[in-house]
Amino acid sequence: MFSKITSCAVFGIDGQVISVEADVNDGLPMFTMVGFLSSSVKEAGERVRTALKNSGYHMPPKRITINLSPANIRKDGSGFDLPVAMAVLIAIGILPEINMEKTLVLGELGLNGEVKTITGVLPMVYHCKKMGITSCIVPKANAKEAALVRGMNVYGVESLQEAAEFMQGIADIVPLINNDNTVVEGENDSNLDFADVKGQSTLKRGMEIAAAGFHNVLMTGAAGAGKSMIAKRLPTIMPKLTFEECIDITKIYSISGLLDNNNVLITKRPFRSPHHTISNHALVGGGGVPRPGEVSLAHNGVLFLDELPEFNKNVLEVMRQPIEDRSITISRVNATFVFPADFMLVAAMNQCPCGNYPNLSKCKCTPYEIRRYQGKISGPLLDRIDITMEVQPIEFGDLFDEIKEESSKEIRERVEEARHRQQFRYKDVGINFNSQLDGKLLKKYISLGAKEEELLKDTFVKNELSARGTYRILRLARTIADMAGSDKIERIHLMEAIFYKNNGKFYNEEV
């Protein structure tokens, strides 16, 4: 007898529908699985046979063939155990012959028949919903995650026997159905607030602009000036996530196995801070079956690289492409995987190896050591950074001043207003922030007056800017104008953009 069950596999952050076909015939008793399988999927045969026996189902002495189609796609993971078992039970006549084309089945089996949790459930269910599948049977521990997909009937099972009895109509499982797309943001860590940062008004202003337009930032300065402190507080002033952004982030974390079963929807912007010993593959993703790296885990959030020159130069250079393209493409012999990587790069570095420069009374580094240290950051990488700020050491008076600083909530309100202006402007082109403007859109949405154009031209010549650097000044000026509530980029907005792009140096001309 022949049977077919609909299952799914993960490729990149998207799903691929897989048909699990079972055929039972007379012949030498054997259990064969075919269909371009990884070792973890080939092992499913032994897990399924043992789980069926321990769940009380008798396997007849027949020739059983399992095919996972399409055969030209490599299958990996343990999520095919349950669909294989269900297909076998239908093929040997224990379960009724019903049409399972509109029902997705996922799950790993223990030897005792327990259905165990798996990774990547959200992207698989999300893809299958788009393909017209209306219900799914998944491990009970993954049911909340699967229910994030609106309109999908989700049935969570704990054992193979429960799944089989549900298909027979013996067990009654109440489906989880989600028809809500509202986002309830979790509480921010009460220990992280911009009100804790004393002084540093220029740095705070730069971070506010960066949050409003999703611009990349580099902070330079002596050790202990507050670079890491303010970077960790940046997510508290960034705009709230939309439901679609939450789903995109959650899909990545689902594939990586980093979801909390109690709070399956990620509602806060990610903040990733890898150590400087990180490898290329850990940063951008990779492996035999590629998995997301830190640049993808920071999607729609912040990737913070502290002590930037301490990172391996090769590691830093592989970031150039995802910063520009906002995605990372990993090619293998059998497939090409694309992971989203639309992150805000925030980097911090000292100005010398000892961290005391420009305090010459403390700094013992030679000019050669300083140049060599600062030269570890390549020009093309610096060209991809919108805001560069030299962080000054905090004054003693500011440190113990009783003046109340602005809270993250107050700053975030201004950031949200600027974000709303951008969303309204770009509602028809599918972007959310000024930093996402490409060449064509830049010309469409940004225009300068004669004086502003002359100022930009002088800056281009004097600072020997590249075309990329010039465009980044324009994007930054557009964000500053949005924060000021102006539809037009005025001279004052352009000058402030030049200031932040030009390493905190004002244009040498009076306003």
Side-chain angles (χ1 to χ4, degrees), residues 14 54 63 197 282 310 319:
D14 296 316
N54 291 331
R63 181 184 181 91
V197 183
E310 299 299 334
M319 284 198 306

Side-chain angles (χ1 to χ4, degrees), residues 30-91:
M30 61 188 305
F31 195 106
T32 306
M33 293 186 65
V34 296
F36 198 6
L37 313 178
S38 68
S39 58
S40 62
V41 180
K42 290 178 182 177
E43 292 168 355
E46 290 301 318
R47 289 195 296 269
V48 167
R49 287 197 299 177
T50 307
L52 287 169
K53 176 179 68 71
N54 291 331
S55 297
Y57 300 107
H58 173 67
M59 290 279 288
K62 293 181 177 291
R63 181 184 181 91
I64 300 175
T65 304
I66 306 295
N67 177 44
L68 273 61
S69 176
N72 64 328
I73 296 176
R74 182 177 174 83
K75 291 83 178 177
D76 187 65
S78 57
F80 297 107
D81 293 6
L82 183 58
V84 168
M86 303 289 274
V88 170
L89 289 175
I90 295 174

Side-chain angles (χ1 to χ4, degrees), residues 17 51 53 56 132 151 198 262 314 338 383 427 434 466 484 488 497:
V17 174
K53 176 179 68 71
K198 299 295 184 180
N262 296 320
N314 292 335
V338 179
D383 212 20
K427 60 183 178 181
N434 292 321
S466 66
K488 179 183 177 183

Side-chain angles (χ1 to χ4, degrees), residues 280-498:
N280 292 13
H281 289 169
L283 184 66
V284 300
V289 178
R291 288 291 181 261
E294 290 291 336
V295 297
S296 296
L297 293 172
H299 180 64
N300 287 330
V302 175
L303 177 66
F304 178 51
L305 303 184
D306 200 8
E307 306 295 343
L308 188 64
E310 299 299 334
F311 284 79
N312 187 291
K313 189 168 184 177
N314 292 335
V315 172
L316 295 179
E317 294 307 306
V318 298
M319 284 198 306
R320 286 160 52 177
Q321 180 260 334
I323 289 175
E324 201 69 22
D325 297 343
R326 304 184 184 279
S327 64
I328 182 73
T329 302
I330 301 174
S331 297
R332 293 291 183 265
V333 173
N334 300 312
T336 298
F337 302 81
V338 179
F339 297 108
D342 189 3
F343 59 92
M344 181 195 297
L345 174 63
V346 179
M349 61 178 286
N350 301 323
Q351 294 181 333
C352 71
C354 75
N356 292 314
Y357 187 84
N359 188 339
L360 299 180
S361 63
K362 291 184 177 180
C363 180
K364 305 302 180 185
C365 301
T366 66
Y368 170 76
E369 289 174 330
I370 295 174
R371 286 196 303 271
R372 184 173 179 273
Y373 183 78
Q374 296 181 356
K376 291 182 178 180
I377 315 301
S378 69
L381 181 60
L382 290 173
D383 212 20
R384 288 167 168 79
I385 294 176
D386 302 329
I387 297 175
T388 305
M389 293 179 287
E390 186 174 335
V391 183
Q392 301 297 329
I394 190 169
E395 299 290 339
F396 181 83
D398 291 334
L399 190 61
F400 294 97
D401 202 323
E402 296 298 327
I403 296 176
K404 184 180 179 181
E405 302 287 349
E406 274 191 309
S407 67
S408 293
K409 182 179 179 181
E410 294 171 307
I411 300 173
R412 190 184 208 179
E413 290 174 356
R414 296 196 297 269
V415 170
E416 288 279 8
E417 288 180 9
R419 200 264 177 96
H420 291 155
R421 294 179 67 88
Q422 295 169 71
Q423 283 184 313
F424 179 78
R425 183 187 303 121
Y426 308 129
K427 60 183 178 181
D428 297 326
V429 293
I431 63 175
N432 294 314
F433 294 102
N434 292 321
S435 63
Q436 296 171 328
L437 288 171
D438 60 19
K440 293 182 180 179
L441 294 177
L442 198 75
K443 295 178 181 179
K444 180 178 179 180
Y445 290 102
I446 295 181
S447 59
L448 299 178
K451 292 183 179 180
E452 289 78 16
E453 190 171 333
E454 186 64 27
L455 173 60
L456 184 62
K457 180 180 178 181
D458 290 346
T459 305
F460 179 85
V461 173
K462 291 182 179 180
N463 293 279
E464 298 181 348
L465 294 177
S466 66
R468 182 186 291 115
T470 306
Y471 287 157
R472 290 190 177 274
I473 288 178
L474 288 174
R475 297 184 189 112
L476 196 56
R478 180 64 269 171
T479 299
I480 295 170
D482 286 334
M483 294 181 67
S486 174
D487 293 328
K488 179 183 177 183
I489 297 178
E490 299 177 359
R491 185 179 177 83
I492 187 67
H493 306 144
L494 189 58
M495 291 187 69
E496 186 174 9
I498 294 170

Side-chain angles (χ1 to χ4, degrees), residues 166-188:
F166 170 68
M167 290 187 62
Q168 290 173 308
I170 300 173
D172 185 21
I173 303 176
V174 179
L176 292 177
I177 306 175
N178 174 31
N179 292 312
D180 186 17
N181 64 350
T182 58
V183 177
V184 179
E185 186 178 33
E187 292 294 326
N188 286 321

